[in-house]
Amino acid sequence: MLEETITIEKICMLAGKIMLVSGAETNRVEDTMNRIASSLGVKNPQSYATPTGINFSVDVAATTNSLRILKRSTDLHKIAEVNDVSRKLTAGSIPIHEAFRQLKAIERENSEYPAWVQIIAAALVSGCFTIMFGGTWEDFLPALIAGALGFTGMLTFERVVEIRFLAEFFGAFLIGASAYLFVSMGFGNALNMVIIGAVMPLVPGLHITNAIRDLMSGHLVSGLSKGVEAMLTAFAIGAGVAIIYAFV
């Protein structure tokens, strides 16, 4: 029985860790952990997740297990895969050991796109947002190039310093500087349209969405912390662009 309880705790913590690291909202993380535990016979599972940690126990008076989350990203594919394992466990179609093996495989899986693919996607997004916000086709290419340069700078700086705030600040600074140079050389018409489109890949859309969803579901700590994180990101982007405007 002791071995089975430890296994249940491990599989719940592993599922919650993968989801939280991959960018899932805390309400979904807790719900998935509780569903897995309930499907394995736990009558009163207790899970509590924040953006930086997970707590779980099989009962109110049982030993609480904690796990620290140091780094988060966005990987909706892994979230969907964990949900699929959770549904199979709930339906009783796979045993607990097979579910744990599948979760371990999901954790080891590297489904992140290569840097060059992310840069190309960011470039196309930048150009398209410029057109959507009212820019002209003359602004499309400058925004595309500025967005690619800014996103490349952000990825490179983050690998060196590993501080997301400073990386986004540096990326926004590169966008503002390159956009100003392009427009001043006649390559593009509207500076503001080029910058607005180019910074869109840096905007923390997922953090804002998860913050609102957590607040609406009653997870005030997680919702406020994610909201503050999104505000800091927005401030970094604005400050990076504002420096360029301060000297032109």
Side-chain angles (χ1 to χ4, degrees):
M1 181 63 185
L2 179 60
E3 183 179 356
E4 180 182 358
T5 303
I6 293 174
T7 304
I8 292 173
E9 293 168 349
K10 283 184 177 180
I11 194 171
C12 291
M13 294 288 285
L14 179 59
K17 173 190 173 184
I18 296 172
M19 296 186 72
L20 199 58
V21 168
S22 301
E25 64 272 24
T26 53
N27 181 54
R28 183 187 296 269
V29 173
E30 292 180 1
D31 181 67
T32 300
M33 294 171 67
N34 289 337
R35 287 178 182 273
I36 291 175
S38 298
S39 69
L40 297 174
V42 178
K43 300 298 182 182
N44 190 20
Q46 300 292 317
S47 62
Y48 178 70
T50 68
T52 56
I54 300 174
N55 295 319
F56 178 78
S57 64
V58 296
D59 204 348
V60 175
T63 302
T64 300
N65 299 269
S66 299
L67 182 64
R68 185 82 164 87
I69 303 297
L70 299 176
K71 190 174 182 180
R72 302 184 305 278
S73 61
T74 301
D75 196 332
L76 302 182
H77 177 67
K78 284 190 176 182
I79 296 174
E81 287 187 321
V82 174
N83 281 333
D84 184 58
V85 174
S86 173
R87 294 188 187 98
K88 291 178 181 177
L89 264 177
T90 304
S93 58
I94 58 174
I96 182 173
H97 300 293
E98 174 62 19
F100 189 75
R101 186 195 66 80
Q102 291 185 17
L103 288 175
K104 277 292 187 181
I106 295 171
E107 183 184 28
R108 292 190 298 267
E109 178 184 340
N110 183 16
S111 57
E112 183 178 349
Y113 288 105
W116 65 270
V117 175
Q118 298 182 45
I119 293 169
I120 291 175
L124 294 175
V125 166
S126 300
C128 292
F129 267 111
T130 295
I131 300 299
M132 191 182 74
F133 288 139
T136 62
W137 285 105
E138 286 78 8
D139 300 321
F140 179 83
L141 281 179
L144 185 146
I145 299 173
L149 290 174
F151 200 81
T152 303
M154 185 196 72
L155 291 179
T156 304
F157 195 85
E158 188 177 18
R159 290 177 181 176
V160 175
V161 181
E162 294 188 356
I163 300 177
R164 184 77 178 183
F165 176 85
L166 295 179
E168 288 160 344
F169 173 83
F170 183 69
F173 175 80
L174 282 180
I175 289 173
S178 57
Y180 173 74
L181 289 176
F182 291 153
V183 174
S184 63
M185 292 186 300
F187 185 44
N189 293 331
L191 176 62
N192 58 336
M193 291 299 173
V194 174
I195 292 178
I196 290 173
V199 300
M200 288 306 295
L202 308 182
V203 173
L206 181 64
H207 292 301
I208 296 173
T209 302
N210 285 348
I212 294 174
R213 293 186 66 175
D214 283 337
L215 287 172
M216 293 180 66
S217 61
H219 292 260
L220 301 181
V221 174
S222 298
L224 290 175
S225 61
K226 289 180 180 178
V228 171
E229 184 179 3
M231 289 178 60
L232 286 174
T233 300
F235 175 77
I237 296 171
V241 174
I243 289 181
I244 301 301
Y245 273 96
F247 293 98
V248 299

